[in-house]
Amino acid sequence: MHKLLTSNLKLGIIAGGQLAKMLIQEASKWDIDSYVLDSEPDCPAASIASHSILGSYRDYDDVYRFGKMVDLLSFEIEHVNVEALIQLKREGLRIVPDPRILELIQDKGLQKEFFARHGIPTAEFKTYGSAEAIRGGIERGEISYPFVQKLRKGGYDGRGVAVIQDAGSLDSLLHGASLVERRVEIDRELSVVVARNGKGEIKSYPVVEMLFDPKANLADMIICPSSVGSEQSEKALSLAARIIEDLKMEGVLAVEFFVDQDGEVVVNEMAPRTHNSGHHTIESVATSQFEQQLRAVLDLPLGSTQLLLPAVMVNIVGDEGHEGPVRYEGVEEILALEGVNLHLYGKKITRPYRKMGHVTVVSASLADALEKAKQVKETIGVKSWKHS
Ligand code: ADP
């Protein structure tokens, strides 16, 4: 079993983006020695990790060698070389979440089959091996318009998702093994971050509402608490708890939901890690999602998920038309607003819509937090020194 907290407990984190960086910020409070594996020497987590190891999380040898350096292993991304993780586990390394969870979640087809098997409500779906097979399915009358195609593997932030309205948009079909699902008439998108430790203790964070930027295909704002009705909110909370229990998963899991025009709550997808929709927990909840991840990884009691203050989180993304070394505008103005908490991830290069940081606005009044969040969005600029 793993060592409990000591001054030289080595926590390995696979991939060194902002999620790893925020996890390390918590880990350093507990005097944990952090190791990060990433192929970029100046990835966000590298500036604060105790040890940065260069290598690819998709490569068997890199992941295996990295695992041999640490006492415990977790990750901030799901697309990790699972074979290496399975071997490391066989050799006795504690890996949280378990590699079998990653294997399931890396494939959107397996994920949906899991929901179906466990009676979790989700948009009806069918899997196809290729774009050609989807055309065949349409000809046989198995698929009707409009529908949503999702690549089974490798998609993120809306990449790997195509909405096909009618026969005229079939040219937009993506190539590769896919899942085809009914297009949901979405009223709102919700998310619940839930954690479970090895003793089976489960704690869920309050339901948040995600507002999307259609151009960036990214959650633009996260609102907590969400204004969704209590029936829907309880449904989302109970589904999230059921899923993590059915998975018998240790760690942090984000579950995304659609609420349709009839008020039905269906699960969209899940991620076995901390999530953009949980960043506000750093300032607004008793225990942040990153500390919760640490508690789960170490199999410690989970922390309180009580909301201390309403919060709105705004992603800071690269401005359109700007690519190159980053410079931020409007920082002084937004920091003059009470309740504004700025996080810059430390990415040296900006690109249009690249996630560069976030701001969480907390306030005793959600309306006030929303108003200030809008101001932040209008004021902050993410430019490059050189126009592209
Ligand atoms: P990713 O893993 O890339 O985030 P998602 O499955 O979350 O992909 O899809 C991205 C977005 O596409 C969703 O947030 C939603 O707005 C839209 N979308 C996905 N599935 C459906 C669906 N079945 N019906 C309608 N819209 C959908």
Side-chain angles (χ1 to χ4, degrees):
M1 216 12 206
H2 60 282
K3 294 185 229 175
L4 279 175
L5 288 176
T6 71
S7 64
N8 60 358
L9 180 75
K10 300 183 177 76
L11 170 67
I13 306 165
I14 294 186
Q18 60 267 20
L19 301 178
K21 182 178 182 187
M22 291 184 271
L23 175 62
I24 294 169
Q25 283 167 342
E26 297 290 349
S28 79
K29 288 192 201 160
W30 289 3
D31 193 28
I32 293 171
D33 214 11
S34 51
Y35 283 64
V36 159
L37 174 72
D38 201 287
S39 51
E40 296 289 329
D42 58 2
C43 65
S47 63
I48 61 164
S50 326
H51 309 270
S52 287
I53 310 297
L54 278 183
S56 162
Y57 50 80
R58 294 184 188 274
D59 182 81
Y60 182 99
D61 292 328
D62 288 354
V63 171
Y64 180 80
R65 266 196 297 270
F66 181 69
K68 293 312 251 184
M69 296 176 190
V70 298
D71 300 315
L72 289 160
L73 193 57
S74 193
F75 33 80
E76 65 137 37
I77 194 159
E78 50 268 43
H79 304 293
V80 181
N81 186 302
V82 172
E83 288 72 33
L85 295 180
I86 290 172
Q87 183 55 30
L88 288 163
K89 188 187 167 192
R90 228 179 255 140
E91 293 175 23
L93 184 65
R94 179 170 161 81
I95 305 176
V96 179
D98 191 276
R100 79 186 154 80
I101 304 281
L102 270 195
E103 215 165 15
L104 176 87
I105 290 182
Q106 281 179 353
D107 181 335
K108 287 189 177 186
L110 294 181
Q111 231 188 96
K112 291 283 280 194
E113 282 161 9
F114 171 86
F115 295 145
R117 246 192 344 272
H118 289 265
I120 305 285
T122 182
E124 299 80 50
F125 70 100
K126 227 168 155 12
T127 51
Y128 291 89
S130 64
E132 269 321 297
I134 295 177
R135 288 176 189 265
I138 296 169
E139 278 161 25
R140 288 192 300 279
E142 290 167 12
I143 303 170
S144 48
Y145 299 109
F147 65 86
V148 180
Q149 177 203 11
K150 298 183 180 181
L151 290 180
R152 290 183 68 151
K153 289 196 168 178
Y156 67 99
D157 286 350
R159 272 164 265 190
V161 175
V163 180
I164 308 294
Q165 299 290 355
D166 48 38
S169 46
L170 279 180
D171 284 348
S172 328
L173 278 177
L174 306 166
H175 293 281
S178 308
L179 146 83
V180 165
E181 61 181 34
R182 173 175 65 81
R183 198 191 67 185
V184 177
E185 297 294 330
I186 300 175
D187 178 34
R188 291 151 186 257
E189 299 200 34
L190 308 177
S191 166
V192 172
V193 174
V194 57
R196 183 175 174 277
N197 65 14
K199 298 171 189 82
E201 186 188 4
I202 293 177
K203 289 244 161 96
S204 302
Y205 286 94
V207 179
V208 301
E209 179 162 358
M210 303 186 284
L211 301 185
F212 280 83
D213 175 337
K215 269 207 226 152
N217 233 327
L218 285 176
D220 199 25
M221 269 195 200
I222 300 289
I223 300 169
C224 185
S226 97
S227 60
V228 77
S230 63
E231 196 185 314
Q232 278 120 352
S233 143
E234 275 158 30
K235 183 89 195 277
L237 287 169
S238 81
L239 285 171
R242 232 175 89 194
I243 293 170
I244 203 166
E245 177 64 39
D246 287 350
L247 286 168
K248 291 274 171 280
M249 174 185 156
E250 292 174 51
V252 169
L253 178 77
V255 185
E256 295 181 44
F257 301 87
F258 298 138
V259 181
D260 71 14
Q261 305 285 350
D262 299 326
E264 285 301 314
V265 178
V266 293
V267 173
N268 174 27
E269 60 168 358
M270 55 186 172
R273 50 169 172 79
T274 53
H275 197 251
N276 194 246
S277 65
H279 289 351
H280 65 96
T281 60
I282 298 173
E283 288 89 10
S284 72
V285 176
T287 310
S288 79
Q289 61 168 349
F290 301 100
E291 181 179 329
Q292 202 73 303
Q293 181 181 4
L294 268 186
R295 287 172 178 250
V297 170
L298 292 161
D299 200 14
L300 293 168
L302 298 179
S304 159
T305 51
Q306 196 197 331
L307 185 67
L308 304 175
L309 278 174
V312 178
M313 193 276 307
V314 184
N315 278 321
I316 299 178
V317 301
D319 284 350
E320 268 183 337
H322 287 262
E323 187 150 355
V326 65
R327 90 191 141 80
Y328 297 97
E329 284 180 356
V331 168
E332 206 174 323
E333 289 94 311
I334 67 162
L335 288 180
L337 299 169
E338 209 171 300
V340 161
N341 298 277
L342 174 68
H343 295 254
L344 295 178
Y345 301 148
K347 296 178 187 175
K348 312 287 178 245
I349 301 294
T350 183
R351 286 191 297 273
Y353 302 114
R354 186 176 193 201
K355 282 183 196 155
M356 303 298 286
H358 75 261
V359 164
T360 297
V361 187
V362 290
S363 169
S365 133
L366 183 60
D368 177 52
L370 256 173
E371 189 47 48
K372 285 176 176 154
K374 283 184 193 141
Q375 252 173 286
V376 167
K377 234 174 95 64
E378 279 160 20
T379 312
I380 193 116
V382 183
K383 316 281 184 197
S384 62
W385 287 104
K386 224 171 36 192
H387 269 263
S388 60

